Amino acid sequence: MWNLPNQITLSRIALIPIFMILMLVPWNWGSVAFAGVHMPAADLTAALIFIVASCTDWLDGYYARKLNLVSDFGKFVDPLADKLLITAAFVALVAMNAVPAWAVIIILAREFAVSGLRQIAAANGDVIAASGLAKWKTTTQIVAVAALLLHNAFFAYFSFPFASLCFWLAVVMTVLSGWDYFYRNRSIIFK
């Protein structure tokens, strides 16, 4: 249980409260100029923590496969850590009025619904692997959150709404991947 991939996964969970405190507690650290925008220093720090935490998702999977350390604990905790991180990020963004709550509810509803579908499948002895659409969904969500946390840095020079476009793409990918899961696994639901 305490192998390297699982330790990396648990570190992702441990970073979530730090990330949330940085996002939601009013810090008076001043602001920083970063890639064309001025933002609170706490937001930049939180964004960097989110990006590091997101990278651990790839890292734990890499080591689990490379070192042949795939475990039942890891299979359970890794997707849980992903959901906790992305949920925390989107809730913080709603609290900051950076994204509409209704869109985040759609994202979170899909996460809970697919988790429920996986539980039904597991009860029947089936395993639902992550689909290609789900991987793209995760990628678009991470990029959207990072871009929003960084206040559209890099793209502000061109007045290009990259962060907003990424967010709406993430919402669309979330809906499409959720529909895909339920459509491909409809036989599990109606057993």
Side-chain angles (χ1 to χ4, degrees):
M1 180 172 118
W2 297 109
N3 62 37
L4 179 61
N6 291 343
Q7 289 176 17
I8 293 170
T9 300
L10 292 173
S11 74
R12 181 160 68 254
I13 293 172
L15 287 173
I16 295 169
I18 298 167
F19 164 75
M20 291 297 288
I21 289 168
L22 285 167
M23 290 305 302
L24 300 177
V25 173
W27 299 98
N28 191 17
W29 294 350
S31 64
V32 294
F34 177 73
V37 297
H38 281 78
M39 70 179 81
D43 286 7
L44 178 59
T45 306
L48 295 175
I49 288 173
F50 175 82
I51 291 166
V52 167
S54 297
C55 289
T56 65
D57 183 29
W58 173 83
L59 197 61
D60 61 18
Y62 171 78
Y63 281 118
R65 289 184 298 277
K66 181 178 179 174
L67 303 175
N68 197 25
L69 294 173
V70 176
S71 66
D72 289 338
F73 179 79
K75 288 178 187 176
F76 169 72
V77 173
D78 181 58
L80 176 64
D82 297 343
K83 285 176 182 25
L84 289 172
L85 178 64
I86 207 71
T87 298
F90 279 125
V91 167
L93 289 167
V94 168
M96 295 168 54
N97 293 318
V99 294
W102 67 265
V104 171
I105 290 169
I106 289 171
I107 291 170
L108 299 182
R110 180 264 184 218
E111 298 299 336
F112 287 118
V114 170
S115 293
L117 178 63
R118 283 197 162 117
Q119 287 180 342
I120 293 168
N124 293 326
D126 297 317
V127 175
I128 299 176
S131 69
L133 269 176
K135 291 176 182 178
W136 279 106
K137 178 267 312 176
T138 300
T139 301
T140 59
Q141 286 180 348
I142 290 169
V143 170
V145 168
L148 288 162
L149 292 175
L150 290 171
H151 297 255
N152 203 43
F154 301 106
F155 297 93
Y157 288 121
F158 313 106
S159 297
F160 182 71
F162 178 76
S164 294
L165 291 174
C166 285
F167 174 73
W168 293 112
L169 178 60
V171 173
V172 170
M173 291 302 295
T174 298
V175 171
L176 289 176
S177 69
W179 178 85
D180 180 57
Y181 268 115
F182 279 89
Y183 182 76
R184 284 189 303 111
N185 297 289
R186 61 192 179 280
S187 62
I188 292 172
I189 300 168
F190 299 111
K191 273 189 178 179

